[in-house]
Amino acid sequence: QIQLVESGGGFVQAGGSLRLSCTASGAIFGAYVVGWYRQAPGKERELVAEMTKRGVTHEADSVKGRFTISRDNAKETVYLQMNSLKTEDTGVYYCNLYLDVTHLLPALRPRREDFWGQGTQVTVSS
């Protein structure tokens, strides 16, 4: 059973920084795409950033240049460094894992199964 435990959320003023961490257990961490999603009140959950097992990253346009995702496979941990925070970054941030199957032909790829952390609150005040 894969478990994800997040930490690092909190309250910060606009322009400040926070670093989120998510440690996994029960998975061959290096085989997974790791990512961060967030959900603001009254809005749908959205992708913030993700990184493949080969280190290829993808960030939402709203956070490019401000947020950086990284991973430490030896520690089975994914990080999200958030700089120049804005009030619109407020929300619950969720760690996400799913198996990286991009090396397989599309017809051979298994159905995607997502694993989620419990979420950590980030509040940015003006």
Side-chain angles (χ1 to χ4, degrees), residues 55-108:
V56 177
T57 61
H58 170 72
E59 298 88 13
D61 288 342
S62 59
V63 306
K64 281 183 179 178
R66 300 188 299 121
F67 291 11
T68 302
I69 187 171
S70 61
R71 65 191 295 168
D72 185 333
N73 288 343
K75 295 182 178 180
E76 297 183 310
T77 300
V78 55
Y79 305 96
L80 184 68
Q81 178 65 44
M82 304 186 292
N83 299 328
S84 303
L85 282 160
K86 304 176 180 179
T87 55
E88 52 263 44
D89 295 319
T90 294
V92 179
Y93 282 68
Y94 297 92
C95 179
N96 169 264
L97 258 69
Y98 63 91
L99 195 64
D100 191 333
V101 295
T102 54
H103 61 288
L104 298 176
L105 294 174
L108 299 178

Side-chain angles (χ1 to χ4, degrees), residues 8-53:
F11 185 92
V12 64
Q13 288 191 326
S17 298
L18 283 174
R19 188 195 195 203
L20 305 183
S21 300
C22 172
T23 300
S25 61
I28 303 175
F29 187 78
Y32 285 76
V33 176
V34 296
W36 291 93
Y37 287 68
R38 67 186 179 191
Q39 187 166 19
K43 294 188 177 181
E44 293 186 352
R45 191 175 297 189
E46 62 175 0
L47 174 67
V48 175
E50 67 178 11
M51 176 181 281
T52 71
K53 63 182 181 182

